[in-house]
Amino acid sequence: MVLTIVSFVGFTLFVAFYSWYKTRNENLSTQEGYFLGGKSLTGVVIAGSMIMTNISTEHLVGMNGSSYKNGFIIVAWEVTSALALILAALYFVPKYLKMGLITIPQYLEERFDASTRSLVAFFLLVSFAVTLLPIVLYTGAINLESLFEISELLGVSHQEGIWITVLFVGVLGSIYAIFGGLKAVAVSDTINGYGLLLGGILIPLIALVFIGEGNPVDGIVKVFEHSPEKFSVIGDSDSVLPFETLFTGLIINQIYFWCMNQTILQRALGAKSLEEAQKGLLLTGALKLFVPFIIVLPGVIGFYYFGDSLMDNQDLVYPALVKKVLPVGFTGIFAAVLMGAVLSTFNSVLNSASTIFSIDIYKRIIFPKVSDKNLVRAGKVSATVLAAIAIVAAPMVSNAPEGLFQLLQQLNGIFFIPIASIMLAGFLTKKVTALAAKVALVIGLAFYIMVTFVLKSDIHFVHVWGIEFLLNCTIMFVISYLIPSPKIIVKKYPLGNFKMQGWKYAGLVSSILVIITIAVYIIFGSI
C-alpha cells in the first residue's frame, strides 16, 4: 500500500508541475488567453485533451460495467464517434473558426436571436451541474476508494469514504480549471490522456496473458469460448443498445456531442490554425476506434473472471479487475492516471461551463461592458459555484439500475437532442425562425422528460431521441411556415492572423476512418 500511495502521489505531482511549467508565462487575464488557451493548441494537444475530456471514469467504470453485463453491443457509443468527428473536422469546426466563436451558443444568437442563445446557455449550465459533473466525480470516487481502500485507511464507513474522495477530487479538479484556464487543462489532459491509453490497454493485456498462461492470443480465445455471445455488436431489440438505434437517435446524439458540444469543441476553438484543429479532431476519431480495448473489453474479461457475482453491482467490475491483474508497484501510477481521467473531464466541463456563463450570460446580459480581467474573474467564481454543486450532488447518483454510463446517457438526452435539432436546423436551412427554435427547444425537452422519466415508456430511450428530433423538426418547420421572419444573415468576425488553410490529408484520413468503422460491424456483426 505504501508503494501504491508513493507512486500515486509522485505521478500526480509530476502532472501538476509540468502543467504549471508549460503555462507559467501564459497571459490568463484576457478572455482568449483564459478561455481558449491563447489560440495556441496543436493537433496532438487537442486530441489528447479531447479524448481525456470524453473518456473518464464514467466510461472506465460505467462502460466496462455495462459490457460485463451486456457484452460488446455497447461499442456503438465509441466507434460511431469517428463518423461524427469527421463531420466536425470537415464541416462544423471550419464554420465556427470562420465566425471567430468562443462559445457554441454565440452561433445561436447570430443565427436566431439573443434569447435563444441565453436559453441554451442556461440549459447547458444546468446539464453540467446536475448530470455530467456529479457522475464523473462519483465514478472517480468508486475507483479510488476501491484501489486505496480509503474508508479502511481513515476508519470510516464506505459511504463516508466515497464522500471524502469526491471532495478531494472535486477540489483538486477545480484548482486546475479555475486558476489555470484552458491551456493548463489541455496540457494536463495530454499527459493523462496518453497515460490512460497506455495504462488502459495494459489492464486487458495483462489479464489475457494470465488467462492464456503467457500467450494473450490464447487468452482472448479462452474468453471468447467462455461467452461468445458477449462479443456480438448486434444487440436484440430489447437489449441495452439495439442495433437499430444507430439509425435513429444515436447518430443525432453523436453529431451533437462531437460537433456542437462546448466541452469538447472548446479545444478545437483554441487551435492555432484550422489545420491543427482538423488534425486534432481526426486523431481523436482514430483514438475512439482504439478506445473499446480499454473501456469495453475489460468488462467482458471481468465476466470470465467473476461470472455473475457482480451483476447486482456491475460498476464494481473494473476496479476489481484492476486490483486482480495489476502489479502492486503499478497500481499507484494507474490510480493517478485514473484520477487524471476524472480531473480531466471535471476540469474541462468546469472550464467550458465558466466560459458559457461568462461569455453568454454575464457579458451579454448582466454586464455588457465588462473588462477582460473582470470577465475572467466572473468565470472563476461561476466555476467555483458549479464545482460546489457537483460535489454535493455526486453521491446522489449511486445505484443506477442499468449502470452509471447508461444513466448519464439518459440524462444527457434531456438537453442534447433539443439543442442538436435547432443547431442542425440553423446550419441546414435559413427558413427556421427564432420563435420556432425556442418553441421546439422547450417542447422537445418536455416531451423527452415525460416519455422517459414520467411515463417510463418501453420504447428505448435512444429511439425516443430519434422521435424527439423528428418532433422538433416538424414543430420548427410548421411555426416557421405560419410565422415567417426576415432573411437570416450570419455575421463573420475578423480572423486576424488565424490560418484557415485546411489539412491536406483530412479527406484521406476521413475515408480510412469510415472504412474501419464499417469493418467493425461487418466482422463482429457476424458473431
Side-chain angles (χ1 to χ4, degrees):
M1 179 60 73
V2 173
L3 182 59
T4 298
I5 293 174
V6 169
S7 57
F8 172 82
V9 173
F11 188 82
T12 302
L13 289 177
F14 166 73
V15 174
F17 173 79
Y18 184 78
S19 300
W20 167 80
Y21 179 79
K22 293 294 286 185
T23 59
R24 69 192 189 284
N25 295 322
E26 294 291 327
N27 182 4
L28 301 179
S29 61
T30 66
Q31 58 179 334
E32 187 174 282
Y34 184 78
F35 296 121
L36 292 181
K39 285 277 192 177
S40 63
L41 303 185
T42 62
V44 172
V45 172
I46 290 168
S49 187
M50 274 190 169
I51 209 72
M52 280 302 281
T53 299
N54 174 232
I55 304 299
S56 187
T57 43
E58 82 275 7
H59 286 76
L60 288 167
V61 172
M63 284 199 77
N64 276 307
S66 185
S67 67
Y68 164 76
K69 185 175 182 179
N70 304 293
F72 264 66
I73 58 172
I74 62 167
V75 81
W77 292 112
E78 299 306 306
V79 296
T80 57
S81 297
L83 303 179
L85 280 156
I86 292 170
L87 285 177
L90 301 184
Y91 180 76
F92 288 97
V93 168
K95 289 183 177 292
Y96 297 146
L97 292 175
K98 281 182 181 178
M99 292 180 65
L101 300 184
I102 297 177
T103 71
I104 301 304
Q106 277 182 294
Y107 166 77
L108 293 173
E109 179 173 6
E110 302 299 342
R111 173 59 182 83
F112 296 113
D113 60 14
S115 58
T116 306
R117 171 183 176 180
S118 300
L119 189 61
V120 168
F122 174 75
F123 282 165
L124 289 173
L125 289 176
V126 172
S127 172
F128 292 152
V130 302
T131 60
L132 183 54
L133 288 173
I135 289 178
V136 167
L137 282 181
Y138 187 75
T139 52
I142 289 175
N143 249 318
L144 295 175
E145 160 68 18
S146 174
L147 291 173
F148 290 112
E149 298 175 345
I150 292 170
S151 54
E152 292 185 18
L153 283 174
L154 300 179
V156 298
S157 69
H158 177 75
Q159 193 60 30
E160 288 172 332
I162 293 288
W163 268 100
I164 293 169
T165 310
V166 162
L167 181 62
F168 170 73
V169 175
V171 170
L172 189 58
S174 302
I175 291 172
Y176 272 103
I178 294 169
F179 296 104
L182 179 64
K183 187 67 177 284
V185 170
V187 170
S188 63
D189 285 356
T190 303
I191 303 172
N192 285 317
Y194 295 109
L196 178 66
L197 291 174
L198 178 61
I201 199 63
L202 280 177
I203 301 302
L205 182 60
I206 293 172
L208 293 174
V209 168
F210 286 157
I211 295 169
E213 299 178 357
N215 188 332
V217 176
D218 290 344
I220 194 68
V221 170
K222 286 184 178 180
V223 173
F224 176 80
E225 291 176 344
H226 178 263
S227 48
E229 72 284 355
K230 295 285 186 182
F231 284 80
S232 175
V233 296
I234 307 296
D236 296 330
S237 59
D238 59 348
S239 65
V240 70
L241 191 65
F243 178 70
E244 297 83 6
T245 58
L246 272 67
F247 308 100
T248 57
L250 184 59
I251 190 61
I252 305 301
N253 176 76
Q254 298 290 52
I255 290 173
Y256 171 81
F257 189 85
W258 294 106
C259 303
M260 304 169 184
N261 183 353
Q262 179 73 28
T263 303
I264 293 294
L265 289 181
Q266 194 159 338
R267 284 106 195 87
L269 298 179
K272 64 191 298 184
S273 66
L274 173 60
E275 179 180 357
E276 292 299 324
Q278 290 181 327
K279 286 180 181 178
L281 289 161
L282 294 174
L283 177 55
T284 304
L287 292 174
K288 288 295 284 182
L289 294 173
F290 175 78
V291 158
F293 291 103
I294 298 173
I295 62 175
V296 178
L297 179 58
V300 177
I301 294 173
F303 185 77
Y304 175 88
Y305 271 124
F306 310 119
D308 294 333
S309 62
L310 295 176
M311 281 297 176
D312 291 335
N313 204 340
Q314 64 194 55
D315 291 318
L316 295 181
V317 70
Y318 189 71
L321 183 65
V322 171
K323 290 181 71 174
K324 184 174 183 65
V325 305
L326 203 62
V328 174
F330 290 98
T331 305
I333 295 176
F334 189 66
V337 172
L338 287 180
M339 192 176 78
V342 182
L343 293 177
S344 170
T345 302
F346 186 75
N347 58 30
S348 295
V349 175
L350 274 186
N351 183 261
S352 297
S354 67
T355 304
I356 288 173
F357 174 81
S358 303
I359 303 297
D360 296 313
I361 295 178
Y362 189 77
K363 184 176 183 178
R364 201 199 70 76
I365 300 175
I366 301 173
F367 198 174
K369 296 182 179 180
V370 65
S371 66
D372 273 13
K373 182 178 180 180
N374 287 330
L375 187 66
V376 170
R377 183 178 299 159
K380 293 178 177 180
V381 171
S382 64
T384 304
V385 173
L386 278 171
I389 294 171
I391 289 170
V392 172
M396 301 178 187
V397 302
S398 59
N399 301 320
E402 291 292 339
L404 290 168
F405 182 79
Q406 195 80 347
L407 173 63
L408 176 62
Q409 299 305 325
Q410 286 181 305
L411 293 174
N412 281 342
I414 296 174
F415 301 101
F416 285 8
I417 305 303
I419 295 173
S421 65
I422 67 169
M423 289 283 291
L424 284 170
F427 272 111
L428 300 179
T429 175
K430 300 300 181 186
K431 294 182 179 180
V432 171
T433 66
L435 174 63
K438 286 192 282 283
V439 172
L441 194 66
V442 174
I443 291 179
L445 185 148
F447 169 80
Y448 180 76
I449 293 175
M450 178 63 66
V451 172
T452 304
F453 298 105
V454 178
L455 300 178
K456 297 182 179 179
S457 168
D458 291 333
I459 302 173
H460 194 281
F461 73 90
V462 178
H463 286 317
V464 176
W465 291 350
I467 296 169
E468 178 187 3
F469 177 75
L470 293 177
L471 174 65
N472 289 347
C473 291
T474 301
I475 291 170
M476 284 188 284
F477 281 106
V478 169
I479 293 178
S480 300
Y481 177 77
L482 296 175
I483 311 174
S485 67
K487 184 179 180 181
I488 303 297
I489 301 176
V490 178
K491 292 187 295 186
K492 295 181 180 179
Y493 298 88
L495 295 173
N497 295 323
F498 188 81
K499 298 177 181 177
M500 283 301 298
Q501 179 70 36
W503 186 31
K504 63 181 179 180
Y505 297 114
L508 174 62
V509 174
S510 298
S511 299
I512 293 171
L513 294 180
V514 170
I515 292 170
I516 295 174
T517 302
I518 295 172
V520 168
Y521 277 92
I522 293 174
I523 294 169
F524 289 93
S526 59
I527 294 177

